[in-house]
Amino acid sequence: MALPGIAIGPGISIGGGISIGASPPVVNIPTLDITAHSFGSGNPNGSITFNITNDGGSTVLETGVIYGLPGQTTYALSTDTCTGYSSTAERTAIRDGGCPGPYTTGLTGSQTVSFSANQFIYETIDVLAYAVNSAGVAYSPTVLSWIPQICLAEGTLITLADESTTAIENIQMSDLIKVWDFDNGVFASAHPLWIKQQETTARYNLLTFSDGSTLKTINQHRIFNKQAGAFTYPMTDDTPIGTITMNAQGNEVTLVDKCIMIDVINYYNVITDHHLNLYADGILTSMRYNNIYSIANMKFVKDDRALRHTEEFASAGIAQRWIDGLRLAEQTMSISDIKWYTQRLEYKEHGHVATQNTHYMC
């Protein structure tokens, strides 16, 4: 004989098929992803924009950005920038009124968070978005990487003063390299001022030119841009398809294609003394310190600026080799920027051995 079901209050019944209370709602971690980003030029600062498309059925309790060394960018391993500092990974959350206010809760939709990661100026770092609810921590499937170097791929051929070529990984301080003298508008030669140690990355840029030549650059390694009268980053709008540059024979060539290639590759860099440029796989390349003056007809258009005194740099601990080799007396960058840059060069120089757990700050 079947027993009649006994109801005890709303939602509770005992009888054939016993149920006590309504089933609790299922809570999942939030869903989010990065939609835009902006990194600073030459430093690991910037902002990311991400979209929280689903709160998982529970209020978002905290959201923001995590950045740090690869493999360290988890909530558990990172340090909140409002409460501390980390040499491996940090996170910056959206807070009511900023630090030290409470986390802003209940956020969904598009959010933008700025971050400053100057302690990682010598490191490749990962950057991602995160959101926390009662079910746990969710991370953006998109992970951005900031690579501090502006370098050239292993195997890139550097033109020497005698018109022979040597792979960049084999360049020595005694080599005499073919350069362009923008002071006089002629070919010249120079020894290396600095040679970078080998590092490895998983992607590179492939630039193709109208003469059939190609150049593999890492991150943003500047090429000469005739229209701009300057050396510009190739993978930005400053260097569009159609940009005219110069090859090692002194002929104009045009950028016809640029794309990102995914592959593990070693990379290096060389800066030449005083002239700061060289021909890499036949293409004139350099760095921002070569943009001392605007360039027209392959010569500097010099102004009447006053030269800076050596004492300014020496008192900041900047070595004479950088003062002379980087033409610091003519440069307009701040002393702090120059100090940071030369420290970075010294840290990344071929033959330099960094002490474990030593952190170089600008």
Side-chain angles (χ1 to χ4, degrees), residues 149-158 168-169 201 203-209 212-223 234-235 255 257-269 278-283 285:
Q149 290 73 35
I150 46 177
C151 303
L152 297 165
E154 185 172 85
T156 299
L157 296 178
I158 306 303
I168 192 169
E169 63 268 27
T201 187
R203 58 191 289 171
Y204 63 90
N205 309 315
L206 181 64
L207 311 179
T208 304
F209 300 90
S213 62
T214 59
L215 178 65
K216 296 177 181 178
T217 68
I218 311 302
N219 199 13
Q220 296 288 357
H221 188 94
R222 296 175 189 259
I223 66 171
M235 302 305 287
L255 179 67
D257 189 38
K258 52 182 178 178
C259 59
I260 297 174
M261 309 296 289
I262 305 301
D263 194 10
V264 175
I265 194 167
N266 295 330
Y267 60 93
Y268 307 79
N269 201 1
L278 51 74
Y279 292 90
D281 281 336
I283 300 299
T285 72

Side-chain angles (χ1 to χ4, degrees), residues 15 43 48 57 81-82 98 103 137 157 168-169 254 281 288 292 305 315 340 344:
N43 59 72
I48 65 168
T81 54
C82 273
Y103 298 125
V137 184
L157 296 178
I168 192 169
E169 63 268 27
T254 302
D281 281 336
R288 63 182 172 128
I292 313 172
R305 74 184 65 171
S315 63
W340 168 79
R344 175 176 155 186

Side-chain angles (χ1 to χ4, degrees), residues 187 245-253:
F187 286 116
T245 189
M246 303 298 293
N247 67 15
Q249 290 72 49
N251 299 320
E252 293 183 355
V253 293

